[in-house]
Amino acid sequence: MMRIVMTSLAVLALIACSKPADTTNEIIAEENMAMDENVMDANLATPAAFQLNETTWEFTQDGKPMMETVDASGNYIAWSGTEHVDHGTSVMKDGKACFTSAMDKEGETCWTTSPVEIGQSMETTSDKGEKLTVKRVAYMAAPDAVKAK
């Protein structure tokens, strides 16, 4: 019991003799470091936005195997074999891939997205309720045979 009392007194003496901290500067420095860590954590937790430009996709629509490629400017071309099926522009809006065909008057159609790597597939749904499974493949420019003239 005496050993516990002596140890406690020694700890109290050390605490009493220690130099008081420069609290204002130390507190500010600690708060700044904590804020910097929070900012770094937030930056690490924020995923990169999904981007369509320079991507190519495979899918089947109306029983036809299709390819669609989106160039660096957001222009897309869809084809099946050597048949040009559609072309127009694409943009990302509110996390959805939105396409406007230059071949019809339907206007913009938007599809749900999720980030996928080359070789992965995703289920996508249009704002009209259509469902489609698409597979991302390595980017390629549209073949000359299917480019719009």
Side-chain angles (χ1 to χ4, degrees):
M1 178 76 162
M2 186 66 148
R3 194 179 302 168
I4 294 173
V5 171
M6 293 302 286
T7 305
S8 298
L9 287 174
V11 169
L12 288 174
L14 285 173
I15 292 171
C17 292
S18 69
K19 181 180 170 186
D22 185 2
T23 55
T24 305
N25 289 338
E26 285 182 12
I27 291 172
I28 291 171
E30 287 175 12
E31 287 175 353
N32 286 341
M33 286 182 4
M35 286 175 26
D36 288 345
E37 288 175 8
N38 289 339
V39 168
M40 287 190 323
D41 289 345
N43 288 339
L44 292 174
T46 305
F50 184 71
Q51 185 57 256
L52 274 181
N53 293 4
E54 295 187 318
T55 61
T56 302
W57 305 85
E58 292 179 343
F59 55 95
T60 301
Q61 191 170 32
D62 300 326
K64 289 175 139 180
M66 304 283 288
M67 294 286 290
E68 184 171 88
T69 194
V70 182
D71 69 15
S73 300
N75 299 305
Y76 76 89
I77 297 177
W79 70 94
S80 180
T82 58
E83 175 191 357
H84 177 99
V85 176
D86 192 15
H87 68 276
T89 58
S90 67
V91 295
M92 291 298 296
K93 286 185 183 176
D94 300 322
K96 292 183 177 183
C98 298
F99 298 87
T100 303
S101 174
M103 295 180 63
D104 64 38
K105 303 269 187 225
E106 289 184 29
E108 185 176 77
T109 302
C110 297
W111 295 80
T112 59
T113 63
S114 59
V116 292
E117 299 295 323
I118 293 172
Q120 293 180 327
S121 297
M122 72 172 161
E123 178 83 16
T124 182
T125 305
S126 76
D127 51 10
K128 297 174 184 174
E130 302 167 88
K131 293 187 182 294
L132 193 62
T133 300
V134 296
K135 178 181 178 183
R136 185 173 178 181
V137 296
Y139 174 71
M140 61 182 258
D144 289 337
V146 299
K147 287 185 178 176
K149 304 211 181 332

